[in-house]
Amino acid sequence: MAAVFSVQIAWGDCDEQGIVYYPNYFYWMDSAFQALLRKAGLNLRIIREKFGAIGIPLVEAKARFLASATHEDALAIDAAVSHWGRTSFRVEYRAFRERELVFEGLEARVWAVRTSENAVAPAPIPAGFRDALSAAGAAR
Amino acid sequence: MAAVFSVQIAWGDCDEQGIVYYPNYFYWMDSAFQALLRKAGLNLRIIREKFGAIGIPLVEAKARFLASATHEDALAIDAAVSHWGRTSFRVEYRAFRERELVFEGLEARVWAVRTSENAVAPAPIPAGFRDALSAAGAAR
Amino acid sequence: MAAVFSVQIAWGDCDEQGIVYYPNYFYWMDSAFQALLRKAGLNLRIIREKFGAIGIPLVEAKARFLASATHEDALAIDAAVSHWGRTSFRVEYRAFRERELVFEGLEARVWAVRTSENAVAPAPIPAGFRDALSAAGAAR
Amino acid sequence: MAAVFSVQIAWGDCDEQGIVYYPNYFYWMDSAFQALLRKAGLNLRIIREKFGAIGIPLVEAKARFLASATHEDALAIDAAVSHWGRTSFRVEYRAFRERELVFEGLEARVWAVRTSENAVAPAPIPAGFRDALSAAGAAR
């Protein structure tokens, strides 16, 4: 039920040891997040224009790496919301090479709006956004 | 007289052969272009807001690679305008590791504006932009 | 008849203007080159181990940009050898968004070996390599 | 007493919202780790050749983001070992824009060797490595 982003690891994604240079894992995690938004009929432009947020800034990101990966390997990364707070939410990621778990990760994001004083502040997540994203990738 | 951008090559900039993954050379070329703009008191925001362009899109980029480079190597990349056309200009780059030329490159960019019909079209380069950029990095 | 590499442009591939940050185009060109090698049953490890080269270093890369592209856009990049020299060869690339040509590029590479004096020097391209790569993506 | 890696954020490091595309923060964290190794007279080649490890693979990485950053901003990222285990260690990072904390992060790495059965396994961290890295960036 999660959104899935697939990638084949490129030559340039690997370092001198022939394994993935790790910041690329976060690049693919973010790509999986974009796939989750897309599956929900959303993207960051829509979030700003339709829902009035100035963005959904990341406040935390982490990953655990269980196996190394190299160029030519194909990864399927699933993304699903794992927690809804009032003004923040978490998305969990799992990346598989066939049936082997290569890494798992988490992002925490905040719903941010511009206040009347022109500051940026957290605000309650609109139900329409939450429902759309939950439907796209909530349960596992 | 050119603008200079300095970089120390990172572990993650290299591939399995232990040499720079080449798209990074273009990333550093663009960073040298930003350094040239900065030296001229400009950046892409100012170009849009003060000079009314919608941007200065790249229409061509190329590089010749004369030596390989690896992590820890320090490169100094100079940038200077090599040609002014009516609506376009070229910037040349040379990257040195101490006195050795590692690569040289060229970018061609166009001065682009939004027309009354809401299309994007080339337009004459404003003298103020040309003079500022020439002063920052024109002669060698 | 060319090898084709497909990519959907990610949020993180674009700059503040919402268009592709151009070094990424070269990253995808290289990915198309890897796809061409793969279609020929080759990769850089095989080139070293089976054919005895120390690599096929890039000596030149260039691209012309005909249209801008943004996140969510799907590009199909074809790669085909356009010229065989004795010790070097060229690969040409064309990137399409549906039927629109977004950019076209060229890479020149050299067949490099380690000499008995432990230097790196160009050497004649083995017929087996040339035939395999030509079969994978030579004609258009 | 920590090692410090300094970076000026480039145009291409930012996304359509004009703020840093977050995987770049991990790229700079890793660059700070390389700076820490360098300050200790080490790098990944030396670790393999002198100390006999096959590598020090990352098993976990995380970061908390406290402020956004944009191109032209200068970040100073300090790196210091925060924990030594028998076969693993942690490195902590803090990134400042002048006196403002922009993000803080953590990496956990394992000392990995090749066993007589040709498998990869954790092994005790050599005292020479630990002492060198601690001297380069342990206390704050």
Side-chain angles (χ1 to χ4, degrees):
Chain A
M1 303 294 273
V4 178
F5 171 76
S6 296
V7 64
Q8 185 171 28
I9 297 170
W11 171 261
D13 298 328
C14 297
D15 66 16
E16 188 178 301
Q17 300 185 328
I19 56 175
V20 171
Y21 181 59
Y22 92 81
N24 290 313
Y25 286 122
F26 288 98
Y27 171 81
W28 298 322
M29 269 175 55
D30 187 74
S31 293
F33 179 61
Q34 306 296 332
L36 175 61
L37 290 180
R38 195 157 49 237
K39 192 178 171 196
L42 298 168
N43 62 41
L44 287 167
R45 289 180 188 167
I46 294 174
I47 287 168
R48 290 200 299 272
E49 291 162 14
K50 178 173 169 189
F51 288 102
I54 62 158
I56 44 174
L58 192 72
V59 290
E60 188 180 351
K62 65 178 173 183
R64 289 199 320 128
F65 306 101
L66 294 95
S68 65
T70 189
H71 41 87
E72 311 289 298
D73 286 356
L75 298 183
I77 306 172
D78 62 39
V81 177
S82 62
H83 174 78
W84 285 107
R86 199 179 67 92
T87 61
S88 67
F89 62 102
R90 294 193 206 116
V91 182
E92 287 189 2
Y93 303 90
R94 293 180 307 174
F96 292 91
R97 177 176 43 202
E98 295 182 349
R99 298 185 65 85
E100 180 189 18
L101 184 60
V102 171
F103 74 89
E104 54 187 9
L106 181 147
E107 291 177 347
R109 291 179 179 273
V110 165
W111 192 268
V113 298
R114 193 167 294 282
T115 66
S116 53
E117 291 81 18
N118 206 29
V120 173
I125 297 172
F129 173 82
R130 193 186 58 216
D131 293 349
L133 212 59
S134 291
R140 267 183 179 151
Chain B
M1 304 292 272
V4 178
F5 172 76
S6 297
V7 64
Q8 186 171 29
I9 297 171
W11 171 260
D13 298 329
C14 296
D15 66 15
E16 188 178 300
Q17 299 184 329
I19 56 175
V20 170
Y21 181 59
Y22 92 81
N24 289 314
Y25 287 122
F26 289 98
Y27 171 82
W28 298 322
M29 269 175 55
D30 187 73
S31 294
F33 179 62
Q34 307 296 332
L36 175 61
L37 290 179
R38 195 159 49 236
K39 193 178 169 194
L42 298 168
N43 62 40
L44 287 166
R45 289 179 188 167
I46 294 173
I47 287 168
R48 290 199 300 272
E49 290 162 15
K50 177 172 170 190
F51 289 102
I54 63 158
I56 44 174
L58 192 72
V59 290
E60 189 180 349
K62 63 178 173 184
R64 287 199 323 127
F65 307 100
L66 293 95
S68 65
T70 190
H71 41 88
E72 311 289 298
D73 285 356
L75 298 183
I77 306 172
D78 63 38
V81 177
S82 61
H83 174 78
W84 285 107
R86 199 177 68 89
T87 60
S88 67
F89 63 102
R90 294 192 206 116
V91 183
E92 287 189 3
Y93 303 90
R94 292 181 306 173
F96 292 91
R97 179 176 41 202
E98 296 183 348
R99 298 183 65 85
E100 179 189 20
L101 184 59
V102 172
F103 74 90
E104 54 187 8
L106 181 148
E107 290 177 347
R109 291 178 180 273
V110 166
W111 191 269
V113 299
R114 193 167 294 282
T115 67
S116 52
E117 292 82 18
N118 206 30
V120 173
I125 297 172
F129 174 81
R130 194 186 57 216
D131 294 348
L133 211 59
S134 291
R140 265 182 180 149
Chain C
M1 303 295 273
V4 178
F5 171 77
S6 297
V7 63
Q8 185 171 30
I9 298 171
W11 171 260
D13 297 329
C14 295
D15 65 15
E16 187 178 300
Q17 300 185 327
I19 56 176
V20 170
Y21 181 58
Y22 92 79
N24 290 313
Y25 287 122
F26 289 98
Y27 171 81
W28 298 322
M29 268 176 54
D30 187 74
S31 293
F33 179 62
Q34 307 297 331
L36 175 61
L37 290 180
R38 194 158 49 236
K39 193 177 170 196
L42 299 167
N43 63 40
L44 288 167
R45 290 179 188 168
I46 294 172
I47 286 168
R48 291 200 298 273
E49 291 162 15
K50 178 173 169 189
F51 289 102
I54 62 158
I56 43 174
L58 192 71
V59 290
E60 188 180 350
K62 64 178 174 182
R64 289 199 321 127
F65 306 100
L66 294 95
S68 65
T70 189
H71 41 87
E72 312 289 298
D73 286 356
L75 298 183
I77 305 173
D78 62 39
V81 177
S82 61
H83 174 78
W84 286 108
R86 197 178 68 90
T87 61
S88 66
F89 63 102
R90 293 192 207 118
V91 183
E92 287 190 1
Y93 302 90
R94 293 180 308 173
F96 292 91
R97 177 176 43 201
E98 296 183 350
R99 298 184 65 85
E100 180 189 19
L101 184 61
V102 171
F103 74 90
E104 54 187 10
L106 181 148
E107 290 177 346
R109 292 178 179 273
V110 166
W111 192 268
V113 298
R114 193 167 296 282
T115 67
S116 52
E117 292 81 18
N118 206 28
V120 174
I125 297 173
F129 174 81
R130 192 185 59 217
D131 294 348
L133 212 59
S134 291
R140 266 181 178 150
Chain D
M1 304 293 274
V4 177
F5 171 76
S6 297
V7 64
Q8 185 171 31
I9 297 170
W11 170 260
D13 297 329
C14 296
D15 65 15
E16 188 178 300
Q17 300 185 328
I19 55 176
V20 171
Y21 181 59
Y22 92 81
N24 290 312
Y25 286 122
F26 288 98
Y27 171 81
W28 298 322
M29 269 174 54
D30 187 74
S31 294
F33 179 62
Q34 306 297 332
L36 175 61
L37 290 179
R38 195 158 48 238
K39 193 178 170 194
L42 298 168
N43 61 41
L44 287 167
R45 289 179 189 168
I46 294 173
I47 287 169
R48 290 200 298 272
E49 291 162 15
K50 178 173 169 190
F51 289 103
I54 61 157
I56 43 174
L58 191 72
V59 291
E60 188 180 350
K62 64 179 174 182
R64 287 199 322 128
F65 306 101
L66 295 95
S68 65
T70 188
H71 41 87
E72 313 289 298
D73 287 355
L75 298 183
I77 306 173
D78 63 37
V81 177
S82 62
H83 174 79
W84 286 108
R86 199 179 66 92
T87 61
S88 67
F89 62 102
R90 295 194 204 115
V91 183
E92 287 189 3
Y93 303 91
R94 292 180 308 172
F96 292 91
R97 179 175 41 201
E98 296 183 348
R99 298 184 65 84
E100 179 190 19
L101 183 60
V102 171
F103 74 89
E104 55 186 9
L106 182 147
E107 291 176 348
R109 291 179 180 272
V110 166
W111 192 268
V113 299
R114 194 168 294 281
T115 67
S116 53
E117 291 82 17
N118 206 30
V120 174
I125 297 172
F129 174 81
R130 192 185 59 216
D131 294 348
L133 212 59
S134 291
R140 265 183 178 146

PDB file of all heavy atoms in Angstrom, chain D residues 3-17:
ATOM      1  N   ALA D   3      37.612  18.846  14.305  1.00  0.00           N
ATOM      2  CA  ALA D   3      37.979  19.204  12.935  1.00  0.00           C
ATOM      3  C   ALA D   3      36.852  20.037  12.351  1.00  0.00           C
ATOM      4  O   ALA D   3      35.687  19.863  12.710  1.00  0.00           O
ATOM      5  CB  ALA D   3      38.197  17.942  12.105  1.00  0.00           C
ATOM      6  N   VAL D   4      37.202  20.951  11.458  1.00  0.00           N
ATOM      7  CA  VAL D   4      36.182  21.830  10.891  1.00  0.00           C
ATOM      8  C   VAL D   4      36.264  21.787   9.365  1.00  0.00           C
ATOM      9  O   VAL D   4      37.344  21.902   8.784  1.00  0.00           O
ATOM     10  CB  VAL D   4      36.355  23.277  11.379  1.00  0.00           C
ATOM     11  CG1 VAL D   4      35.310  24.186  10.719  1.00  0.00           C
ATOM     12  CG2 VAL D   4      36.224  23.348  12.897  1.00  0.00           C
ATOM     13  N   PHE D   5      35.099  21.621   8.756  1.00  0.00           N
ATOM     14  CA  PHE D   5      34.992  21.695   7.298  1.00  0.00           C
ATOM     15  C   PHE D   5      34.122  22.900   6.959  1.00  0.00           C
ATOM     16  O   PHE D   5      33.027  23.051   7.495  1.00  0.00           O
ATOM     17  CB  PHE D   5      34.355  20.418   6.745  1.00  0.00           C
ATOM     18  CG  PHE D   5      34.017  20.496   5.287  1.00  0.00           C
ATOM     19  CD1 PHE D   5      35.011  20.387   4.318  1.00  0.00           C
ATOM     20  CD2 PHE D   5      32.705  20.699   4.868  1.00  0.00           C
ATOM     21  CE1 PHE D   5      34.704  20.467   2.961  1.00  0.00           C
ATOM     22  CE2 PHE D   5      32.386  20.783   3.517  1.00  0.00           C
ATOM     23  CZ  PHE D   5      33.391  20.671   2.562  1.00  0.00           C
ATOM     24  N   SER D   6      34.628  23.750   6.071  1.00  0.00           N
ATOM     25  CA  SER D   6      33.894  24.959   5.702  1.00  0.00           C
ATOM     26  C   SER D   6      33.410  24.853   4.264  1.00  0.00           C
ATOM     27  O   SER D   6      34.122  24.370   3.389  1.00  0.00           O
ATOM     28  CB  SER D   6      34.799  26.189   5.834  1.00  0.00           C
ATOM     29  OG  SER D   6      35.174  26.343   7.187  1.00  0.00           O
ATOM     30  N   VAL D   7      32.192  25.331   4.040  1.00  0.00           N
ATOM     31  CA  VAL D   7      31.633  25.291   2.689  1.00  0.00           C
ATOM     32  C   VAL D   7      30.796  26.545   2.465  1.00  0.00           C
ATOM     33  O   VAL D   7      30.147  27.042   3.386  1.00  0.00           O
ATOM     34  CB  VAL D   7      30.769  24.016   2.486  1.00  0.00           C
ATOM     35  CG1 VAL D   7      29.563  23.995   3.398  1.00  0.00           C
ATOM     36  CG2 VAL D   7      30.336  23.878   1.037  1.00  0.00           C
ATOM     37  N   GLN D   8      30.871  27.077   1.256  1.00  0.00           N
ATOM     38  CA  GLN D   8      29.936  28.125   0.878  1.00  0.00           C
ATOM     39  C   GLN D   8      28.898  27.480  -0.026  1.00  0.00           C
ATOM     40  O   GLN D   8      29.236  26.861  -1.049  1.00  0.00           O
ATOM     41  CB  GLN D   8      30.639  29.266   0.139  1.00  0.00           C
ATOM     42  CG  GLN D   8      29.664  30.409  -0.140  1.00  0.00           C
ATOM     43  CD  GLN D   8      30.349  31.645  -0.673  1.00  0.00           C
ATOM     44  OE1 GLN D   8      31.354  31.556  -1.351  1.00  0.00           O
ATOM     45  NE2 GLN D   8      29.796  32.810  -0.364  1.00  0.00           N
ATOM     46  N   ILE D   9      27.639  27.620   0.341  1.00  0.00           N
ATOM     47  CA  ILE D   9      26.579  26.906  -0.369  1.00  0.00           C
ATOM     48  C   ILE D   9      26.455  27.437  -1.797  1.00  0.00           C
ATOM     49  O   ILE D   9      26.406  28.644  -2.019  1.00  0.00           O
ATOM     50  CB  ILE D   9      25.252  27.046   0.400  1.00  0.00           C
ATOM     51  CG1 ILE D   9      25.397  26.385   1.782  1.00  0.00           C
ATOM     52  CG2 ILE D   9      24.093  26.439  -0.373  1.00  0.00           C
ATOM     53  CD1 ILE D   9      24.242  26.655   2.727  1.00  0.00           C
ATOM     54  N   ALA D  10      26.414  26.514  -2.760  1.00  0.00           N
ATOM     55  CA  ALA D  10      26.377  26.867  -4.177  1.00  0.00           C
ATOM     56  C   ALA D  10      24.938  26.963  -4.666  1.00  0.00           C
ATOM     57  O   ALA D  10      24.005  26.405  -4.072  1.00  0.00           O
ATOM     58  CB  ALA D  10      27.142  25.831  -4.997  1.00  0.00           C
ATOM     59  N   TRP D  11      24.779  27.677  -5.763  1.00  0.00           N
ATOM     60  CA  TRP D  11      23.473  27.794  -6.433  1.00  0.00           C
ATOM     61  C   TRP D  11      22.844  26.413  -6.631  1.00  0.00           C
ATOM     62  O   TRP D  11      21.669  26.197  -6.343  1.00  0.00           O
ATOM     63  CB  TRP D  11      23.683  28.494  -7.787  1.00  0.00           C
ATOM     64  CG  TRP D  11      22.495  28.482  -8.677  1.00  0.00           C
ATOM     65  CD1 TRP D  11      22.259  27.645  -9.729  1.00  0.00           C
ATOM     66  CD2 TRP D  11      21.356  29.352  -8.605  1.00  0.00           C
ATOM     67  NE1 TRP D  11      21.054  27.938 -10.318  1.00  0.00           N
ATOM     68  CE2 TRP D  11      20.479  28.980  -9.651  1.00  0.00           C
ATOM     69  CE3 TRP D  11      20.994  30.410  -7.760  1.00  0.00           C
ATOM     70  CZ2 TRP D  11      19.263  29.618  -9.869  1.00  0.00           C
ATOM     71  CZ3 TRP D  11      19.780  31.047  -7.987  1.00  0.00           C
ATOM     72  CH2 TRP D  11      18.935  30.657  -9.020  1.00  0.00           C
ATOM     73  N   GLY D  12      23.642  25.472  -7.088  1.00  0.00           N
ATOM     74  CA  GLY D  12      23.125  24.154  -7.425  1.00  0.00           C
ATOM     75  C   GLY D  12      22.815  23.278  -6.226  1.00  0.00           C
ATOM     76  O   GLY D  12      22.280  22.186  -6.373  1.00  0.00           O
ATOM     77  N   ASP D  13      23.157  23.734  -5.041  1.00  0.00           N
ATOM     78  CA  ASP D  13      22.852  22.962  -3.832  1.00  0.00           C
ATOM     79  C   ASP D  13      21.433  23.200  -3.346  1.00  0.00           C
ATOM     80  O   ASP D  13      20.987  22.548  -2.402  1.00  0.00           O
ATOM     81  CB  ASP D  13      23.818  23.346  -2.706  1.00  0.00           C
ATOM     82  CG  ASP D  13      25.262  23.028  -3.033  1.00  0.00           C
ATOM     83  OD1 ASP D  13      25.511  22.055  -3.771  1.00  0.00           O
ATOM     84  OD2 ASP D  13      26.158  23.747  -2.544  1.00  0.00           O
ATOM     85  N   CYS D  14      20.738  24.171  -3.961  1.00  0.00           N
ATOM     86  CA  CYS D  14      19.417  24.569  -3.477  1.00  0.00           C
ATOM     87  C   CYS D  14      18.325  24.107  -4.427  1.00  0.00           C
ATOM     88  O   CYS D  14      18.547  23.911  -5.610  1.00  0.00           O
ATOM     89  CB  CYS D  14      19.359  26.091  -3.318  1.00  0.00           C
ATOM     90  SG  CYS D  14      20.515  26.670  -2.060  1.00  0.00           S
ATOM     91  N   ASP D  15      17.130  23.957  -3.871  1.00  0.00           N
ATOM     92  CA  ASP D  15      16.007  23.482  -4.672  1.00  0.00           C
ATOM     93  C   ASP D  15      15.124  24.653  -5.105  1.00  0.00           C
ATOM     94  O   ASP D  15      15.492  25.817  -4.965  1.00  0.00           O
ATOM     95  CB  ASP D  15      15.216  22.442  -3.884  1.00  0.00           C
ATOM     96  CG  ASP D  15      14.542  23.029  -2.641  1.00  0.00           C
ATOM     97  OD1 ASP D  15      14.435  24.265  -2.511  1.00  0.00           O
ATOM     98  OD2 ASP D  15      14.118  22.236  -1.789  1.00  0.00           O
ATOM     99  N   GLU D  16      13.976  24.324  -5.643  1.00  0.00           N
ATOM    100  CA  GLU D  16      13.083  25.339  -6.196  1.00  0.00           C
ATOM    101  C   GLU D  16      12.628  26.352  -5.153  1.00  0.00           C
ATOM    102  O   GLU D  16      12.238  27.470  -5.481  1.00  0.00           O
ATOM    103  CB  GLU D  16      11.873  24.631  -6.814  1.00  0.00           C
ATOM    104  CG  GLU D  16      10.959  25.536  -7.601  1.00  0.00           C
ATOM    105  CD  GLU D  16       9.819  24.755  -8.222  1.00  0.00           C
ATOM    106  OE1 GLU D  16      10.078  23.843  -9.017  1.00  0.00           O
ATOM    107  OE2 GLU D  16       8.646  25.044  -7.889  1.00  0.00           O
ATOM    108  N   GLN D  17      12.655  25.947  -3.890  1.00  0.00           N
ATOM    109  CA  GLN D  17      12.272  26.876  -2.823  1.00  0.00           C
ATOM    110  C   GLN D  17      13.440  27.788  -2.419  1.00  0.00           C
ATOM    111  O   GLN D  17      13.292  28.620  -1.527  1.00  0.00           O
ATOM    112  CB  GLN D  17      11.757  26.101  -1.614  1.00  0.00           C
ATOM    113  CG  GLN D  17      10.528  25.249  -1.954  1.00  0.00           C
ATOM    114  CD  GLN D  17       9.918  24.561  -0.754  1.00  0.00           C
ATOM    115  OE1 GLN D  17      10.610  24.189   0.185  1.00  0.00           O
ATOM    116  NE2 GLN D  17       8.606  24.396  -0.783  1.00  0.00           N
TER     117      GLN D  17
END
